[in-house]
Amino acid sequence: MTDIYGLTPVKLADRLTELGEKPSRAGIILPAVYGDLTTDFSALPLRNETIEKLSGNFFFGEPECVKKLVSDTADKYLFRLSDGNFIESVLMKHEFGNNVCVSTQVGCNMGCRFCASGRLRKIRDLTVSEMVGQIMHIRRDIGVKINGLSIMGIGEPLENLANVLEFIEIAQYPKGFDIGIKHITLSTCGIVTGIYELADSSSPVNLAVSLHAPDDELRKTIMPTANKYSIAEIIKAAIYYSEKNNRRITFEYVMLDGVNDSDECAGKLAALLSPLNCYVNIIRYNPSDGSEFKCSPHERIMGFYDILKKNGIGVTMRRELGASVNAACGQLRAEAGNTKYK
Ligand code: SAH
């Protein structure tokens, strides 16, 4: 049996050929599966023999939702995967539409000191179907279209890029979820090799880079990946990405009180980024249990913001969604009494 949610349109067509069916049947199956959200092949306008073959060879691997926490701005979904592992996804309810924050790994090995997800070691990458399953469940649950995706839940997406690219292909399928590439943003802690790979792929989505410090020395104290990739290498890759795909790059910057929020840091950041087609997304730090950091006070955040602005850098402040259900950035952490997480 093959999990249909794990197949890109081309792979589905190939599988149909293997089964002795016309590959063009994919053009009937995909809109039903991703547009009408069907899980019953017998509803399709196909011969009985074909329907029996489909039912006998494909299944719908949607993960089980074991908990949903609801708030005004964001809902958090906890999913149990077929092997008993847990992941989370967040539905962010903006006035301009619904955006889903998707997880890409069970746990994360990046070890950023300020992030709750990173306290769980990575157990494994998610499959294509497990990423599709997150948006399939939420789409079914809300009953309306999903307008955008943030590939920035638990995990480092560029460590699981092959699967993430296939997931993006399915999310974009026009008669299905139909989520345009300009409405998909992938966030990375700065895996340089992956940035080049994504730049050269057929799905160059919006790129966000978690920078969080204006120099390597400081960055190394909060993000272990800084020992592997320097800021200079990250900036070079970001310029390549931006020029190749004509995109503005986002640099994320979390405000950690007394750590990376000084005027000097803001000045250095402005100097570093001024040659780039980019903007800075300032993120309020969201504390989690036992965290060693505090969020910078409001006046400090505004002071930092002003310095960037005065130096001609585009700046946005990430709207804080979902903090009341622990669904804000850095708070995603599969809970649910899974002993693997203790
Ligand atoms: N691994 C990817 C995507 C997941 S995190 C990455 O590192 O970019 C998504 C964003 O939330 C990143 O910018 C991350 O640095 C930020 N983040 C992590 N912990 C946070 C916290 N406690 N408060 C605010 N933002 C946080």
Side-chain angles (χ1 to χ4, degrees), residues 86-218:
F86 291 90
I87 51 160
E88 294 173 343
S89 319
V90 180
L91 167 68
M92 295 174 285
K93 300 175 268 193
H94 297 283
E95 48 291 7
F96 50 83
N98 296 303
N99 190 297
V100 176
C101 182
V102 180
S103 289
T104 56
Q105 296 180 319
V106 180
C108 182
N109 270 353
M110 298 300 107
C112 301
R113 270 174 58 204
F114 47 82
C115 180
S117 305
R119 284 192 224 139
L120 319 163
R121 300 287 298 165
K122 182 182 95 179
I123 294 172
R124 63 175 177 83
D125 288 334
L126 293 188
T127 62
V128 176
S129 165
E130 287 165 340
M131 289 183 262
V132 170
Q134 295 171 56
I135 62 172
M136 180 54 87
H137 179 88
I138 294 175
R139 169 69 186 81
R140 231 189 271 292
D141 188 46
I142 61 178
V144 291
K145 189 172 159 46
I146 293 169
N147 307 90
L149 298 178
S150 300
I151 305 179
M152 49 176 92
I154 298 170
E156 169 47 52
L158 294 186
E159 275 209 329
N160 186 17
L161 186 55
N163 286 347
V164 166
L165 285 173
E166 293 196 357
F167 160 63
I168 292 171
E169 208 180 308
I170 295 168
Q172 284 187 84
Y173 181 72
K175 291 178 185 159
F177 287 102
D178 191 24
I179 304 174
I181 200 163
K182 297 242 159 103
H183 298 276
I184 303 178
T185 301
L186 180 149
S187 177
T188 174
C189 65
I191 309 287
V192 168
T193 45
I195 295 176
Y196 285 108
E197 234 180 286
L198 185 65
D200 294 336
S201 76
S202 53
S203 297
V205 293
N206 299 315
L207 179 69
V209 179
S210 300
L211 200 60
H212 305 324
D215 62 60
D216 289 325
E217 205 186 323
L218 177 59

